[in-house]
Amino acid sequence: MNVVVQNIERADQAVIDALGKCGVATVHEAQGRKGLLAANMRPIYAGARLGASAVTISAPPCDNWMVHVAIEQVQDGDILVLAPTSPSNAGYFGDLLATSMQSRGGRGLIIDAGVRDIADLAEMKFPVWSSAVFAEGTVKETLGSVNVPVVCAGALVNPGDVIVADDDGVCVVRREEAEKVLEKARERIANEEEKRNRLASGELGLDMYNMRQRLADKGLKYV
Amino acid sequence: MNVVVQNIERADQAVIDALGKCGVATVHEAQGRKGLLAANMRPIYAGARLGASAVTISAPPCDNWMVHVAIEQVQDGDILVLAPTSPSNAGYFGDLLATSMQSRGGRGLIIDAGVRDIADLAEMKFPVWSSAVFAEGTVKETLGSVNVPVVCAGALVNPGDVIVADDDGVCVVRREEAEKVLEKARERIANEEEKRNRLASGELGLDMYNMRQRLADKGLKYV
Amino acid sequence: MNVVVQNIERADQAVIDALGKCGVATVHEAQGRKGLLAANMRPIYAGARLGASAVTISAPPCDNWMVHVAIEQVQDGDILVLAPTSPSNAGYFGDLLATSMQSRGGRGLIIDAGVRDIADLAEMKFPVWSSAVFAEGTVKETLGSVNVPVVCAGALVNPGDVIVADDDGVCVVRREEAEKVLEKARERIANEEEKRNRLASGELGLDMYNMRQRLADKGLKYV
Amino acid sequence: MNVVVQNIERADQAVIDALGKCGVATVHEAQGRKGLLAANMRPIYAGARLGASAVTISAPPCDNWMVHVAIEQVQDGDILVLAPTSPSNAGYFGDLLATSMQSRGGRGLIIDAGVRDIADLAEMKFPVWSSAVFAEGTVKETLGSVNVPVVCAGALVNPGDVIVADDDGVCVVRREEAEKVLEKARERIANEEEKRNRLASGELGLDMYNMRQRLADKGLKYV
Amino acid sequence: MNVVVQNIERADQAVIDALGKCGVATVHEAQGRKGLLAANMRPIYAGARLGASAVTISAPPCDNWMVHVAIEQVQDGDILVLAPTSPSNAGYFGDLLATSMQSRGGRGLIIDAGVRDIADLAEMKFPVWSSAVFAEGTVKETLGSVNVPVVCAGALVNPGDVIVADDDGVCVVRREEAEKVLEKARERIANEEEKRNRLASGELGLDMYNMRQRLADKGLKYV
Amino acid sequence: MNVVVQNIERADQAVIDALGKCGVATVHEAQGRKGLLAANMRPIYAGARLGASAVTISAPPCDNWMVHVAIEQVQDGDILVLAPTSPSNAGYFGDLLATSMQSRGGRGLIIDAGVRDIADLAEMKFPVWSSAVFAEGTVKETLGSVNVPVVCAGALVNPGDVIVADDDGVCVVRREEAEKVLEKARERIANEEEKRNRLASGELGLDMYNMRQRLADKGLKYV
């Protein structure tokens, strides 16, 4: 019942990196407004932005044994995504594990639980999005699984799915949809550049998007 | 039922600006300890401080259509105050809308819901106080109203009321009370300067405020 | 019933300072994974780290009178620890009280309630760990007690206990255990330095901690 | 600043009673989907349903002095609506105050804070909708106001507004709109009776409301 | 992108009913401690217990249009499972929809949002497990999907999966594992009966489960 | 470090029982408004009321091994008080453990975590006050302690302290203060009986407590 899946497929690294540059809001919109993890998943420091390939962890509450197991499965460009099997805010992860991750090219951590040593992690430029910052220690007593589908902060994440994360939060993109989503995200960005210029010059969204008639049709009254 | 009120009264701009400089805690005290929005209204970056005149938005959940409508009503020195009609943490507002706001002299956003593109907003120096940071997209399907009284984060805000916001949160001052509150706030600040000096020199609040007798009368025992 | 205990024992100042340098996660582990205050106790700015001796306050909700009483009991190297007798997020403490604290050598504040003037406090380098930032004013009507045992954010704190706080949160160490805990914390740090180097060089935790056999014994399957 | 308004207007008692019989969901819809207090306002026992005229209380946190003041203003058919000026879950109200209320014809209590003695209140058939059940005692030290507009659980309530409450929660109806809302509520109920019969007989909402074409137009696909 | 899947597979009805009788705690344990929806999913009245086959709904926030669409897909023995695409506590469902459900043999509703008319639903014996009770009305403007996999209250639910719900909450069983889980649940129940008798007669769990040696080995001290 | 304290002192059983009859609100007031556990500790069914002697459990998150250990220490008239060492809502306790408790004269459970099988527990008349109802299973891997002081839901509970619990929540009385608190509670009840009669007859609290002058002195205005 407790397994480590060793061979997982990943999206193309160039696609992953490019999605990371697009950012969470854009990618979320580009794939039809889906894939966001819950709003309480916040970065431990401002300014990080990344795309990475998910190595998933299903871990017992307050037990970080599986993190050690998962790191062996990490390749350059990967990110850990940890979902506890019961709600926990314990600090599963700190600077030693981050050191190990960085030595393998791991890019960060998404965890619906706690993280600690965040001053050190910020200095190491190791980004974490978590639902808590808490120093509570964990044990190494009970098995979980690595690289199985998990529900993390309300979103289904499969191993090899693409994680996009920045100051706005975290979004997951299905591995098999990554290319298509990137294409749409790029269209969106190109499109926004022109809009930004028009809005900056004083044009109103009401006019730019032709909203006035539809507002009147729906019954909006100006008084 | 869904209206846009186009002509609203505003307080004197000099008064608004001066209230902003006084800061939230001082203004709140100066008007008799009232007017605070709930404590979960937090700034997206540290260090912003402002006074501004409220343009209010009553918006459906996850629908930001009325933001576009409201921006047309914004004048130099205004701030948007958005209250959803049902709890929502969706991201009603991002960098494009902020661009539009800035082009009209809009100073920021108060929203009892989510905001996104916060890295961009921070770079643009466009301050937002919100109850969530979340990239969830919104639709443009249902009408709301602009410049009607709203209850935002537990506080009643009328269009044209003065908003004071800083790292401590957000406070609303009734338009018609703005001058009087400013006067009291200034007295308070003048008064505090002397107190600060005395406390810095080692004098105790117990002595400075003559508290010892009243404490003894109430029955406090030193052991 | 409402008392101020004037003579409390404190741990050795060198031990207190050294514990502060060890940090919350290390000290928490060194004393057997106990003593953490709840995870919602967050610093008002990043980067503060301290050890200090607790002067405790049991205060009525929204009433900061006892803070003034407590400051008289503060010595160089102390920190205030305030627990309200009923849940409150009011702003019990601001820049004037911080000024008074600093003039007496007070190092900071731990409060399971609100704090205000946080921009000023950050500029003054006066660290606060709180469960809320809120400008709500308080009154001075009802007595509490100073230097009695309190439960603050879920942890029992006795006057004279050692407080360790940093970006990870807050930990309390019993005064009488402070030396022993420091010793263990130092062992832990020494121990971690070697581990960090090995992990940085690419060695896996699985090997460094000899976990593979025990994982297999528990039934973990690699597929 | 602290006032008791003694003469307030009330809606017609027959209208108030009739609104109570319509229930919260119906009245909320009938007035255009507005007026609900927040969802955490829950009844202390199941099965109560009422309409009543609001006597409002703005009370300091953990201080129930104003409840005594307010009860003098209560007439037959009234309900107390208490909003604390700072968040509190203290138990402002218990069986003695309920006894006093019942002796004056008071119908219940709406409180965005705590209530206690709920076993007694249930036995007395004195309904309360509150955001907490908590035995924490209160003091009588600080003034508030009675029969001023308050924001209670996110909704503005004026003295004399009509409160409708049942197992679904609490809704406020503006005094001056009460009759019109009752009329619409009754239409709605009449209308629903026929719908209920058709649905009970197996007709689908899709057909009864002619939704199929509009769903297809929006792009819904059956696969 | 918005679809209604019309033909879904269901587990054997006898298996579904039998799982319902086993109850949530037993079924959760029998399938290896997985499948629970979050703890805030509570029944609207005590005493309901059921097994049913999931018809899933992915619905926009505050928009219950898809509920009407989903009811057409309901067969005798089914239950609706609604997950909003953005957090919402609006009241998507009331007595009219319940009437329609009952006319088709629908057994209840699982909803990570609000429900209303709960007094009527209780009288109708139509059970609902929800994260909120709230009368807030919804609109019918935006499409969602029916019978697609959804994440509801933190758990992945596929159409045709088996829902078990009682006063302890809600558990989902994969359709294809239903029979095997039922078998294990029955073993567990048989096993518990004997244990219950031994415990009732005064035997200790410590002895019945042979825990004493293992506790001593781990280092538990009796003092 | 992990201990079971076997010999604890208990208050007099008659005192314990009498405190239970007084109820939570009265006992809390009688001991000077202290001792309440947090407001989220709710009974699993309405109508239970008890006094009992605390057998305390400090338990790891999601691990109920120590409950078995604790039951051996339970005597007639005792109640278990479980505090997890890290926040958890797992279901530590169900009908089998309740059966074991009842066979030893145990009266109930106070737990700052989850409980399950609540339909069975209600039928058995085994009362539980908990912060969650959740079926999540636990393990038996890690030691804790029995009959050591614990902080449960924000309150310090020593083994042998008296627990009073009813529909209003849970209150702890220090063992050594139990008699004195009972005496004061009885005075309070006697005192309340007369007040209740006067209030029922229409006398106002304002008059009965002579509040009018003090209100006027503080500045309350009737308008």
Side-chain angles (χ1 to χ4, degrees), chain D residues 126-197:
Chain D
F126 188 86
V128 178
W129 287 258
S130 69
S131 53
V133 173
F134 200 32
E136 180 86 35
T138 52
V139 295
K140 289 165 186 64
E141 294 287 346
T142 309
L143 297 184
S145 292
V146 171
N147 278 333
V148 295
V150 296
V151 173
C152 183
L156 179 67
V157 181
N158 301 301
D161 280 348
V162 181
I163 297 296
V164 179
D166 62 21
D167 289 353
D168 285 349
V170 185
C171 188
V172 58
V173 179
R174 296 282 161 260
R175 180 181 54 76
E176 54 271 29
E177 300 177 2
E179 267 197 74
K180 197 180 61 186
V181 171
L182 175 58
E183 199 178 316
K184 291 201 178 171
R186 282 176 166 159
E187 285 169 23
R188 197 174 166 88
I189 289 170
N191 190 9
E192 284 195 347
E193 194 49 35
E194 189 221 340
K195 287 184 194 167
R196 188 175 293 106
N197 291 338

Side-chain angles (χ1 to χ4, degrees), chain F residues 114-188:
Chain F
V115 61
R116 64 185 192 181
D117 302 328
I118 66 165
D120 297 321
L121 297 181
E123 203 179 305
M124 293 167 69
K125 298 276 179 211
F126 188 86
V128 178
W129 287 257
S130 69
S131 52
V133 173
F134 201 33
E136 178 87 35
T138 53
V139 297
K140 289 167 186 62
E141 293 287 347
T142 309
L143 297 184
S145 292
V146 171
N147 279 334
V148 295
V150 296
V151 173
C152 184
L156 180 67
V157 181
N158 301 302
D161 280 348
V162 181
I163 297 296
V164 180
D166 62 20
D167 289 352
D168 286 350
V170 185
C171 190
V172 59
V173 179
R174 296 282 161 259
R175 180 181 53 77
E176 54 271 29
E177 299 177 4
E179 267 197 73
K180 197 179 61 185
V181 171
L182 175 58
E183 199 177 317
K184 291 202 178 170
R186 282 174 166 161
E187 285 170 23
R188 197 175 167 88

Side-chain angles (χ1 to χ4, degrees), chain F residues 5 11-12 15 27 40 54 59 62 64 68 90-91 125 133 148 156 190 198:
Chain F
V5 178
D12 181 80
V15 172
V27 169
N40 65 334
C62 297
N64 77 345
H68 290 276
K125 298 276 179 211
V133 173
V148 295
L156 180 67
R198 290 169 67 181

Side-chain angles (χ1 to χ4, degrees), chain F residues 9-72:
Chain F
E9 291 188 73
R10 290 169 172 82
D12 181 80
Q13 190 64 48
V15 172
I16 295 171
D17 292 347
L19 281 167
K21 292 207 179 81
C22 294
V24 168
T26 296
V27 169
H28 159 71
E29 290 281 350
Q31 65 180 342
R33 290 183 185 155
K34 66 178 190 188
L36 289 178
L37 276 65
N40 65 334
M41 295 293 290
R42 301 299 304 142
I44 57 168
Y45 58 86
R49 166 172 286 203
L50 61 74
S53 187
V55 168
T56 63
I57 306 173
S58 172
C62 297
D63 190 314
N64 77 345
W65 207 5
M66 285 303 112
V67 179
H68 290 276
V69 174
I71 288 176
E72 189 177 26

